Amino acid sequence: MQTGLRPSQTPDSGAPAEAEAPQAGPIQAGSPADQLTPRQADRLGQLSRLSGHLVVALVALVVIGGATRVMQAGLACPDWPLCYGVLLPGRQMNLQVFLEWFHRLDAFVVGVALLVMAAASLVGRRQLPGWLPWASGLALALVAVQGGLGALTVTRLLASSMVTAHLAAALSLLALLSGLHQALKLQQALKRHSQPSTAPLERPWRLVWGLAVCAALLLVFCQSLLGAWMASHWAADRCLASGDDCRWLLLHRQLAPGAGGAVLLWPP
C-alpha cells in the first residue's frame, strides 16, 4: 500500500523533515566523549597547555621566593613595583637584586597569563566546561591578592604576617592551577575514551582516596606556612642561641616526616 508521502516528508506534518545541525554547547562534567567537537577539543588543548605552563611558572615563583628569603634579598629592591625607580636596575644589579627583580618579573608574567586564560575562557565559554570561567576568574583574583601582599611585604619591611600570608596565597594559587590543569586533562580524555566507570563498589574507595589527598595537601600547606612563620621570626636561630621559641622548631620537625611522606606518596 502506498501512503502518498514522499520519503522526505513525515506523516504528521507532510512537510519535508529538515535535519538540525548540532550546536556546540558548554561541556558538562561527565558528558560522553562523542559530545566533544573538534573545536571544543582544540580550545581545551590550548587552555590545558597554558595551565600546564602556568603550574611550572608558579612552582618557579615559589622556589625563587624561597631563595629570595634565604639570601635575605626581600628588600633588595626597596620600592614597589619598580626596582630603584626603574624597570631594570642595571647599575644596582647583584645576586640579591636579581633574585628580587626576577621574582617580580615571574609574578608579572603569571598575572598576564592568568588574565589571558580568564579572557579566553569567558569568550569561548560556549565551547568550554561551565566551571572553567569561574575557576579562571578565581585564579585571577588570587594572583591580584598575591601581588598586593607582595607589595605590602616590601612596604612593611618584611612583616611576619605579610610574609606568611604571601606564601599562603602563592600555595593556594598553585593548588588551584594544578587542579584546573588536571581537570582539563581529564576533560580531554573524555574525547578519546569512554565515560569513566561509576560502579558502586568504586565510589567508597574514590571518597577515601580523595580525603587522603586532601589531608596530605593540608599537611604540606601547614608545614610550609609554619616554616615561613619560623623564618620570618628567626625562630630556629633564637632557639639555638638562647633556647627561645624551641616549641615551634620542635613542631616543625615533628610534622616534617608526615609532609615528606605525603609528597612521596602523591599520585602521579
Side-chain angles (χ1 to χ4, degrees), residues 17-233:
E18 297 181 356
E20 296 183 357
Q23 296 181 354
I27 303 174
Q28 302 296 330
S31 59
D34 54 10
Q35 291 186 7
L36 286 176
T37 65
R39 186 175 182 181
Q40 290 173 336
D42 183 60
R43 285 183 178 271
L44 282 176
Q46 292 174 352
L47 290 177
S48 177
R49 288 189 294 271
L50 177 58
S51 62
H53 294 323
L54 276 169
V55 170
V56 174
L58 281 170
V59 171
L61 186 63
V62 173
V63 171
I64 296 171
T68 302
R69 179 65 185 88
V70 171
M71 295 295 295
Q72 302 182 18
L75 295 176
C77 293
D79 49 349
W80 193 95
L82 301 178
C83 187
Y84 289 97
V86 295
L87 291 175
L88 180 61
R91 295 182 178 180
Q92 296 84 5
M93 187 64 71
N94 54 39
L95 179 58
Q96 291 180 319
V97 173
F98 175 77
L99 285 174
E100 175 64 13
W101 173 81
F102 192 76
H103 182 63
R104 297 184 187 183
L105 178 64
D106 192 4
F108 174 77
V109 172
V110 168
V112 172
L114 283 174
L115 182 61
V116 171
M117 172 177 280
S121 62
L122 186 62
V123 172
R125 61 187 180 276
R126 294 184 180 276
Q127 289 82 33
L128 295 171
W131 52 263
L132 185 57
W134 296 97
S136 300
L138 179 58
L140 186 61
L142 265 178
V143 81
V145 171
Q146 172 75 351
L149 290 173
L152 290 175
T153 300
V154 175
T155 57
R156 295 194 179 184
L157 304 180
L158 303 181
S160 175
S161 58
M162 292 296 102
V163 172
T164 306
H166 189 53
L167 178 61
L171 294 178
S172 300
L173 182 60
L174 177 58
L176 175 61
L177 261 296
S178 299
L180 188 149
H181 176 66
Q182 293 298 323
L184 287 177
K185 296 293 287 184
L186 178 61
Q187 198 72 58
Q188 281 186 292
L190 294 178
K191 181 176 176 58
R192 299 186 297 268
H193 306 285
S194 60
Q195 188 173 357
S197 174
T198 55
L201 294 177
E202 295 181 0
R203 292 176 183 175
W205 290 109
R206 289 183 179 182
L207 179 60
V208 171
W209 183 250
L211 292 176
V213 170
C214 291
L217 181 63
L218 181 61
L219 182 60
V220 174
F221 187 79
C222 293
Q223 177 74 350
S224 301
L225 293 188
L226 181 59
W229 187 91
M230 288 178 52
S232 59
H233 281 81

